[in-house]
Amino acid sequence: TADSVGTITSPVIGPARTWRSLRLQARGDDPADSASVQLVGVTPNGSSIVLFDGISAQLTSFDISSISAIQYPFLQLRMRTKDVSSFTPFQLDGWQVLYDPVPEGALSPTQYFQFADTADVGQPQAFKIAFQNVSNVPFDSVRVKLQVTDRQNIVHDIPIPRLRAIPGRDTAIIQALIPTASLPGVNTVFLEVNPEWDQPEQYHFNNIAIRNFYVRPDSTDPTLDVTFDGAHIMNQDIVSAQPAIQMQLNDNSRWMLLNDTALITVQVRYPNGQLRRFYFQGDTLQFLPASGAPAQINEARIHFMPHFPLDGEYELLVTAKDRSSNNAGAISYKVRFQIINTPSISNLINYPNPFTSQTAFVFTLTGKEPPSHFKIEILTVTGKVVREITQDELGPLRIGRNITAFRWDGTDQFGQALANGIYLYRIVTHLAGKSLDVNSNTQTDRYFSKGYGKMYLMR
C-alpha cells in the first residue's frame, strides 16, 4: 500500500572472529528519496543493541573493524527508507558484511567411539569419542564438559582437561574414565564440547552427546576370619596376654578394593566392663589393604597386637563391611577369652586313654609366650624313660588349648612296641631359664597328679 516510510531487515549475520566492513549498493529513483542503515550488535545470549545508526545508504563501504566480535559475535542490518512526495522506496540492490568466520566442530562417532553399556560397580568406565573441526578455521584449546546423572538424579561432574588446539579439518579424541563406585544402577552420560560459548563457533547442536549405561551393583556380603596366634578360638578359651590377632576381610568384588580403614572397627571389652576402640595408629593395629584392581583376590589384612596386663575375661568385637556397605555377617563378630599372665601348664591329659594304637596329648599353656623348650617323657611305672617326644615332633605350640599333631603309637625310642600296661608321662619345659608350673584340676586329677600323668596301653 502507498506509504511514505518502510524498512528492510537482514537475517542475523555471523558468528564472526573479526568484523571487517559493510558494503552497500543502493539507489534512489526520486531526489526526494532518503535512506539510512542501522547496524545492530547481537550478543551470545541473544540480546541486541544498535551500534551504528544513520549510516547513509549511498555509501559504498563502511568500516566495522572496531566492533568486538567477542562481545557481539552476530550483527543484523536494518535500512529505513522514506519518500513523502512520490511514495517510492529507495532501491536496495545488495548489502554485504565482510568478516573472518569462526570455526565449526562436530562430534564424529563414526570416526571413533568407545563406550560399554554395562560395567561392574567400581570398574572405571572408559568414554572416548572423536571431535572434528569441519571448517578451515582453527580452534583454540577446546573446553569439554562431561556429567553423569545417576539413578537418584544426582549430577556428578567428571573433570576433563581441555583438548589441544585443533587446526582446520583436523580431529581430536575426547577421553575420560568415569568412576562407577557410587553409580550402581542406570546412569546417563551427558557430553558437551565448547560449553557456554567458551569460544565462538558456528553451530552448537552437533557438540552434544547423551548415552545411558548400567552399573551392576555389588550385593554379595564380604567374609571375615579372625585367628589368635594362628588358631580359631571358642568362647572363654585361654589366649596369650600378648596375642597376635589376625583378621582377614575378603570380598568377591574385583574392583571395589578393600583399601579403607573405615571398613573395619576393632573394640575390646575389658574385665572391668570398659569398652575400648582401637584405631589404626602405631604398631598395635595395622591395616594391609588390597591392591591391584581388578584384583583376583580382594583381601584386606588386619594385624592386631594388643597387650593385656590384667588377668580376667576379655571380649573382642569386630565389625566389617565392604566398599558397597555390605556387612560381614548380620551381627558383629564377638568372642570372649581368658587372660592368665602367669606361665603354666594345665589340663594335661592324653586322649584317648586307654588307647590301643595311638594317643595325642592335650594341655593348656598360659602366659605371654610359649616355652622355649618343651618335651614329653614316657616312663614305665618304675621310672625308666622309654620314649622322649621332642618339641619338633609335637609341632607348633601356642598359648591356650593345644592338641598335639603328634600321635604316640606305643613304641619306645627305637621303634619297638612296648608291652601292654600302665605308663607314666611328664612334661619338661623351660621359659627364660625356668620351668613352668604344672597345674591340675578336678577334671584331670584322675589322670594327672603331682606332675605325672597316667595312661593305659591296651593292644
Side-chain angles (χ1 to χ4, degrees):
T1 58
D3 199 351
S4 60
V5 179
T7 58
I8 299 176
T9 303
S10 77
V12 175
I13 303 164
R17 181 185 291 268
T18 306
W19 297 111
R20 297 296 184 185
S21 63
L22 165 64
R23 293 183 181 181
L24 295 170
Q25 188 176 356
R27 55 187 169 80
D29 295 332
D30 190 324
D33 288 351
S34 66
S36 63
V37 176
Q38 280 185 342
L39 192 61
V40 179
V42 182
T43 63
N45 61 13
S47 61
S48 60
I49 185 174
V50 177
L51 300 178
F52 294 97
D53 195 6
I55 301 173
S56 174
Q58 294 178 341
L59 291 175
T60 58
S61 180
F62 183 78
D63 184 12
I64 60 174
S65 61
S66 62
I67 299 175
S68 170
I70 296 176
Q71 187 175 5
Y72 302 106
F74 301 95
L75 293 180
Q76 192 172 36
L77 304 176
R78 297 174 187 163
M79 189 180 78
R80 183 176 184 272
T81 176
K82 181 178 181 181
D83 183 355
V84 296
S85 59
S86 59
F87 303 102
T88 58
F90 203 83
Q91 298 301 309
L92 176 64
D93 294 329
W95 49 9
Q96 290 180 319
V97 175
L98 303 183
Y99 64 93
D100 296 332
V102 297
E104 167 58 10
L107 292 172
S108 183
T110 56
Q111 290 192 55
Y112 189 80
F113 179 68
Q114 178 184 340
F115 187 65
D117 58 5
T118 305
D120 291 325
V121 65
Q123 179 181 3
Q125 182 74 309
F127 186 94
K128 299 179 181 180
I129 191 169
F131 179 76
Q132 182 181 14
N133 184 350
V134 297
S135 67
N136 293 318
V137 182
F139 270 105
D140 293 334
S141 59
V142 181
R143 182 184 164 205
V144 181
K145 180 171 74 173
L146 182 63
Q147 294 178 323
V148 177
T149 303
D150 63 22
R151 59 189 176 91
Q152 296 178 335
N153 210 31
I154 298 175
V155 178
H156 305 262
D157 290 313
I158 310 299
I160 298 183
R162 283 180 176 268
L163 301 179
R164 59 173 175 81
I166 309 175
R169 304 298 173 180
D170 196 7
T171 300
I173 303 298
I174 299 170
Q175 303 184 61
L177 277 179
I178 302 174
T180 62
S182 59
L183 300 176
V186 178
N187 304 272
T188 301
V189 175
F190 175 82
L191 174 70
E192 182 179 9
V193 184
N194 193 26
E196 302 168 359
W197 197 261
D198 185 66
Q199 57 182 297
E201 187 180 0
Q202 295 181 35
Y203 302 101
H204 194 69
F205 71 92
N206 50 9
N207 291 13
I208 295 174
I210 299 175
R211 189 86 173 188
N212 293 333
F213 71 101
Y214 178 73
V215 177
R216 286 186 289 261
D218 175 19
S219 57
T220 304
D221 293 338
T223 59
L224 176 68
D225 184 66
V226 181
T227 59
F228 285 67
D229 294 322
H232 298 94
I233 68 169
M234 301 178 64
N235 277 326
Q236 297 184 335
D237 275 358
I238 297 173
V239 302
S240 169
Q242 293 180 331
I245 303 175
Q246 305 290 330
M247 308 172 203
Q248 294 181 8
L249 184 62
N250 290 271
D251 191 37
N252 287 337
S253 175
R254 299 177 60 199
W255 296 96
M256 300 289 281
L257 295 184
L258 303 172
N259 55 10
D260 189 351
T261 57
L263 299 176
I264 192 160
T265 301
V266 178
Q267 296 175 296
V268 173
R269 193 183 308 279
Y270 284 73
N272 61 4
Q274 176 192 2
L275 184 63
R276 175 186 172 185
R277 179 177 177 179
F278 287 81
Y279 294 90
F280 292 96
Q281 300 171 348
D283 296 332
T284 301
L285 189 62
Q286 296 179 335
F287 185 81
L288 280 67
S291 61
Q296 295 298 323
I297 300 177
N298 187 6
E299 178 182 271
R301 291 176 176 268
I302 298 90
H303 297 334
F304 185 31
M305 304 288 290
H307 177 214
F308 303 120
L310 301 177
D311 291 355
E313 183 177 277
Y314 294 75
E315 184 177 27
L316 175 67
L317 301 92
V318 182
T319 58
K321 61 183 179 181
D322 62 17
R323 290 270 304 283
S324 299
S325 295
N326 298 313
N327 293 320
I331 59 175
S332 301
Y333 169 85
K334 298 180 181 180
V335 64
R336 300 190 305 276
F337 54 92
Q338 300 286 334
I339 295 295
I340 301 175
N341 280 273
T342 302
S344 67
I345 301 174
S346 60
N347 300 327
L348 177 57
I349 60 173
N350 69 298
Y351 180 83
N353 190 13
F355 72 99
T356 58
S357 58
Q358 290 183 338
T359 187
F361 295 91
V362 181
F363 52 90
T364 300
L365 294 175
T366 64
K368 297 179 181 179
E369 59 181 319
S372 56
H373 175 73
F374 190 100
K375 70 176 181 178
I376 298 176
E377 294 181 343
I378 310 295
L379 307 91
T380 65
V381 291
T382 62
K384 179 184 177 182
V385 176
V386 293
R387 179 73 161 90
E388 283 190 352
I389 305 170
T390 65
Q391 185 170 342
D392 291 338
E393 293 178 283
L394 292 172
L397 303 178
R398 67 181 185 89
I399 300 298
R401 185 175 61 246
N402 291 261
I403 301 177
T404 63
F406 175 83
R407 301 291 189 268
W408 184 51
D409 58 2
T411 60
D412 63 13
Q413 200 71 25
F414 305 100
Q416 300 296 319
L418 296 173
N420 292 346
I422 298 175
Y423 291 87
L424 305 179
Y425 61 89
R426 67 176 180 179
I427 291 182
V428 180
T429 62
H430 292 286
L431 177 61
K434 296 181 180 180
S435 297
L436 270 65
D437 293 335
V438 180
N439 303 320
S440 61
N441 56 39
T442 55
Q443 294 180 346
T444 60
D445 274 346
R446 59 179 292 197
Y447 302 106
F448 193 85
S449 178
K450 297 180 181 181
Y452 288 88
K454 182 170 56 176
M455 66 178 74
Y456 298 86
L457 174 60
M458 299 174 58
R459 297 185 189 280

